[in-house]
Amino acid sequence: MLRLPQRPALKFTMRPLKFSPRTRAFLRVLLSHYITNGITACLGLLVISLIVENWLGAYAASLATVGVIAVTPPDVAAPRRGKLRTMMLPFIAGVPVFYIVQLLNGRHLELGIFLTFFSFLAFLAMAWGKRGIPVAMGMMFTAIFSIASHQPGADNDALQSTLYFSIGAGLYVIWATLANLALNARYRALAMADVLISLADLIRTEARQFRHQRACDKDESDALLGQLLKAQAALADQMQATRDIVLESPRTPFRQRIAGMLVIVIDIRDQLLASELDLDGLRTHPRHRHALAQMRSVLDELADEVDALADALFLGYRPRPAIDRRTRIATIRSTHDYEQDGFSLGPTPAMLVRGIAHRIGHINDEILRLSRTARGEQMPNLAIVRANWQMFVSPTAWSWAPFFSVWSWKTPQMRHAIRAALAMGMGYAVSINLPWGGLHDYWILLTIAVVLRGSLSQTLERRNQRVAGTLLGCLLTMGLLALHPANIVLLIVMTVAQGGAHGFAQRRYLVTSVAGTTLGLIQAYMLAYGDSSHATFTLFERMADTLLGAVIAWAFAYILPSWERGQIPAVVQRTIDAQIRHAKLALDPEQLKSVEDTPELEWRLARREAFDSLSALVQATQRSLSEPRAVRPPIEALQYMQVHCYQLLAQLSAVKALLVLRRDRLNLPEATAALENAIERIERKLGSLPISPLNDSTAAGTLSDQVILPDPFETEITPWLLRRLDASTNIAIQIRDDASRVLQILDWSAGQHLVECDDAA
């Protein structure tokens, strides 16, 4: 009997699709959480406007649309807890403001005074940090769009207009809260995918260090280290936003799997830090070129594995299993395995190659664990996170303490609120005195509100993107209107533009500016009933108002400026404190006895703060590069401090790995004494700020470089632990000297500035 071949059983693992780099980048943007959020925002706008139009008419729908736009800024991918509270803030504050502006419309003096005072209060919401910015922008949009909704010469009932505005804003608050709840699982996956992309970029940046380097390539090495610091800062920033979503209530299997992936990523970051140790001794020797090339190739392939996991999360399929490269890593050898080069003191090059390859093997193991967790083949270890997830995420409560803490003219938040209020007052005065003033006087105000930021570098970036985006938006709109499209086409374009303007607001403001310009111009065109001559004039008016608003925002960025040098001392001190606490917990001798949940939790929190504080220092230094040279902080000293903090974290990561993974090969009494001594020395060195920079002789080199070290894979590893501890102490001295130099220069500069002011008086 003829037997037909049986079909193989269907598998749920989808074959990974292969895309070109450009197509992959496009799909990642298209499927990202901010585009998803933008789509929900434009759908909410469309649904609410249709409901209100069918219920109360076209005029009510237009005002309800204004209400929707005014409360959309805080609507971002966020944890479920606290979402409604955050969305309610601009609504509660916005309704009375909208009503007052409606009453004052047409009375320029009174409205200008109110607008200036209200702008001051709204921008004080920056006291709550990053989560306060969208709330402040929502409040500003309410006042600005209330001016925009006023029709000169028409019978505007302020109370009725406010009612329609409130209906739209209130309905959107409900919509946004429910949409965030419904998309919570998708937001978790997309946020985790973003972290994986940042991790893959970090691995590739790390891999670029694994290459032969001549002694004269120091500048190139420093540039690469700078890129590495930026990549670390970007990952730390991305991870905090992801923690808030992913670690919230990890109770279901899916949430636990995503949360477990995030915890593994944090461990991979530690292994990456440790992998670059001892590289300097290998990169300048030609005979290590092949071994370095092999290790770099492995790291690049591991980055590709992480990218594949990110794509699986974006596209929603089960990822393919990761390839185990342990056997290949074990074959990496230095030519010094076979040739003697006269090295007798310290670790031999062969030992260094094997040690680095061994640490890359740990990265391979962690990525295998990451893949198995993503595929659901391995249960994540979330005992600590499951019980203490509130300690890992940002607080959602809105306390009054930050607001009361900024009432000093020296605080950056107060200075920014004052300059923003003055800029808005100036912008309103200019807008009503222009030849076309009164038609779209809110455009200048809107440009000032979105361009003027807390630092000069951010203001310059927003200024350039706003002007370029407005120009592109005008050109696109001119091309579209030249085709005389039907109203349904214009409505579709407006809906898409609203989604793009909201979705890219915090990611790529150039796209937001293009979309916002297109949205505003098409609205003006439709209100003019298709009058093409009016539309052409509006295009040029929009460009002129944008340029004026950008110039005003740029000029007022120099009024009561908050230069980064004023914030650097606090950031430096925060970084030092975080390094001390992390060192004490990473070197805790108690972990030689057992790894308990409480010490492990404290160490993880200390590690997070160490990375976050270093990230804040890197970002502050980068922002200061856009400031005038006369007010810049000591960039070189700050960069040295960042490098040394990074090196200390790398050394401590290596020590932590030794204590956790290989403590069975330690001489416990000797290791315990060495750890206690290292903690005391690091705390004493770093805790002695501010002092004059010292030339400490112990910083000249590691003590173990002057003794013969045993093979760490054949005997006990206590000498290698001592070497790491010795290096950590020396790096702590360098950090202290760098920080002291920074603080001394800043104090000297401040004193010089006061002397010059006294002489001038």
Side-chain angles (χ1 to χ4, degrees), residues 704-723:
S704 54
D705 286 338
Q706 304 171 17
V707 299
I708 299 176
L709 291 173
D711 188 329
F713 300 95
E714 303 294 338
T715 60
E716 70 170 69
I717 60 171
T718 306
W720 289 83
L721 174 64
L722 300 180
R723 178 173 180 266

Side-chain angles (χ1 to χ4, degrees), residues 591-754:
Q591 60 194 305
L592 291 175
K593 303 175 183 176
S594 63
V595 180
E596 298 179 358
D597 286 351
T598 301
E600 187 74 5
L601 171 63
E602 293 179 359
W603 168 70
R604 287 184 177 273
L605 294 173
R607 178 180 60 177
R608 182 191 68 177
E609 173 59 15
F611 278 103
D612 289 349
S613 60
L614 182 56
S615 171
L617 186 63
V618 172
Q619 292 173 359
T621 305
Q622 291 298 315
R623 290 194 300 266
S624 68
L625 295 177
S626 301
E627 298 176 347
R629 289 183 178 275
V631 297
R632 287 182 192 171
I635 301 296
E636 184 178 5
L638 283 169
Q639 289 174 339
Y640 276 123
M641 180 179 173
Q642 294 162 20
V643 169
H644 291 143
C645 286
Y646 181 78
Q647 291 174 346
L648 180 59
L649 287 173
Q651 292 287 352
L652 294 178
S653 297
V655 171
K656 182 72 175 177
L658 288 177
L659 299 180
V660 173
L661 302 176
R662 307 184 70 189
R663 56 182 167 179
D664 58 322
R665 301 182 64 183
L666 287 169
N667 183 325
L668 294 185
E670 185 178 359
T672 300
L675 290 170
E676 293 173 346
N677 182 52
I679 291 174
E680 190 272 332
R681 292 170 65 194
I682 291 176
E683 187 174 14
R684 186 176 70 251
K685 300 299 183 184
L686 289 181
S688 57
L689 290 173
I691 61 172
S692 299
L694 299 178
N695 295 320
D696 197 319
S697 59
T698 58
T702 22
L703 182 62
S704 54
D705 286 338
Q706 304 171 17
V707 299
I708 299 176
L709 291 173
D711 188 329
F713 300 95
E714 303 294 338
T715 60
E716 70 170 69
I717 60 171
T718 306
W720 289 83
L721 174 64
L722 300 180
R723 178 173 180 266
R724 296 289 178 212
L725 296 177
D726 193 31
S728 301
T729 305
N730 293 335
I731 295 172
I733 295 172
Q734 293 174 312
I735 294 174
R736 179 201 61 191
D737 290 351
D738 297 332
S740 297
R741 191 173 297 111
V742 170
L743 298 178
Q744 272 198 332
I745 293 174
L746 291 178
D747 287 344
W748 180 84
S749 299
Q752 284 294 106
H753 179 69
L754 292 175

Side-chain angles (χ1 to χ4, degrees), residues 202-247:
L202 178 61
I203 294 175
R204 290 192 178 93
T205 305
E206 186 79 50
R208 287 201 290 272
Q209 295 199 108
F210 286 75
R211 59 191 175 120
H212 175 64
Q213 176 185 346
R214 296 185 303 273
C216 59
D217 292 339
K218 185 179 184 303
D219 292 341
E220 184 180 353
S221 178
D222 291 344
L224 182 57
L225 189 55
Q227 295 174 13
L228 198 58
L229 287 169
K230 290 180 184 178
Q232 283 281 3
L235 179 60
D237 202 42
Q238 181 70 53
M239 286 178 63
Q240 183 52 57
T242 302
R243 280 191 197 101
D244 294 340
I245 298 175
V246 167
L247 297 185

Side-chain angles (χ1 to χ4, degrees), residues 448-518:
I448 294 172
V450 298
V451 168
L452 187 58
R453 302 284 93 185
S455 69
L456 179 62
S457 65
Q458 293 170 332
T459 299
L460 294 177
E461 183 181 5
R462 280 296 184 99
R463 178 201 65 183
N464 297 338
Q465 292 178 348
R466 179 72 175 181
V467 172
T470 300
L471 176 61
L472 290 174
C474 288
L475 293 175
L476 289 174
T477 306
M478 288 177 66
L480 177 65
L481 296 180
L483 301 175
H484 303 289
N487 283 344
I488 184 64
V489 175
L490 294 178
L491 286 173
I492 293 173
V493 172
M494 288 176 61
T495 302
V496 173
Q498 166 61 22
H502 175 72
F504 285 95
Q506 296 185 9
R507 194 74 175 216
R508 186 165 298 179
Y509 186 72
L510 177 63
V511 178
T512 293
S513 183
V514 173
T517 298
T518 303

